[in-house]
Amino acid sequence: FRQLGEWQKNYVTSTGRPLAMNVNLSVTQLRDPKLLREIERVKTQSACAAHSMAFEITESAVLGDTKRAIALLNDIKDLGFRLRVDDFGTGYSSLSYLKKLPIDGFKIDKSFINGLDIDEDDTAIIHALLGLAHAMNLTVTAEGIEQDAQRIALKKLGCDYGQGYLFSEALQADEIILP
């Protein structure tokens, strides 16, 4: 939160929208009864707007006590934060999660991106997921983009965002240079 607030003070995107950040929430964090209070506390102390922060969860993170997890996610959403499902399409994937969870979008796992334009099934799955997401007003991020051909194909398919080594390797905050 502190880092995003600093970046937002010193950087304006070309679109005029505030710089945004995604933060992973682990299964352990989601089961911590103090998580919501901690998020509220940090939000209050931070200069960044809640809508510019998205929390990412995996589908497996809501397994077990699904009702409690959904209630917590609704509370986080009520604070103004966005929610996304990470690694969608792997593990315990269920289309019912797209309907049950109060999410704004999901990230397509790298394993499907690797087969884009190589494996007809992977390409068909990506195409279908993008169509489904957009019909439900969800945004989609493709993970693991390593080649420009993947970026171009995903853009043609209508993918909203991308991440991967094509753009940058993982960096520490002090290594990131914003124009």
Side-chain angles (χ1 to χ4, degrees):
F1 282 81
R2 203 170 17 254
Q3 184 63 63
L4 180 57
E6 282 296 312
W7 283 335
Q8 287 179 340
K9 279 193 292 189
N10 299 309
Y11 177 77
V12 176
T13 65
S14 60
T15 63
R17 291 184 300 219
L19 192 63
M21 180 184 288
N22 293 5
V23 174
N24 291 336
L25 288 178
S26 70
V27 174
T28 305
Q29 288 171 310
L30 285 171
R31 292 185 181 148
D32 183 346
K34 297 180 216 156
L35 176 65
L36 187 62
R37 282 193 310 267
E38 182 65 13
I39 290 173
E40 288 175 312
R41 183 187 68 74
V42 175
K43 176 188 176 196
T44 303
Q45 295 175 349
S46 168
C48 71
H51 68 274
S52 61
M53 177 78 71
F55 289 108
E56 296 181 5
I57 57 163
T58 59
E59 295 157 281
S60 61
V62 297
L63 291 177
D65 192 350
T66 306
K67 285 184 182 179
R68 192 190 85 62
I70 290 173
L72 172 63
L73 295 176
N74 276 313
D75 289 341
I76 292 170
K77 188 101 163 126
D78 288 345
L79 291 173
F81 296 99
R82 291 173 294 124
L83 296 168
R84 297 213 169 99
V85 174
D86 195 12
D87 299 329
F88 188 78
T90 62
Y92 300 97
S93 291
S94 168
L95 293 178
S96 68
Y97 282 124
L98 293 182
K99 190 170 122 179
K100 289 180 187 177
L101 299 176
I103 60 170
D104 300 288
F106 59 84
K107 295 169 80 173
I108 300 175
D109 188 71
K110 176 185 186 330
S111 61
F112 296 107
I113 305 307
N114 288 341
L116 183 63
D117 284 345
I118 298 167
D119 182 315
E120 290 178 12
D121 290 339
D122 283 343
T123 303
I125 288 170
I126 292 168
H127 189 272
L129 287 173
L130 287 166
L132 179 65
H134 293 152
M136 296 177 72
N137 293 315
L138 301 174
T139 60
V140 180
T141 301
E143 296 181 307
I145 300 173
E146 296 179 355
Q147 300 164 12
D148 200 45
Q150 292 170 323
R151 181 191 63 78
I152 292 167
L154 287 161
K155 188 172 182 179
K156 281 183 189 175
L157 288 171
C159 191
D160 303 298
Y161 302 101
Q163 73 179 58
Y165 286 125
L166 178 67
F167 307 108
S168 176
E169 62 186 44
L171 299 170
Q172 295 294 321
D174 61 357
E175 296 175 305
I176 296 173
I177 300 170
L178 298 174

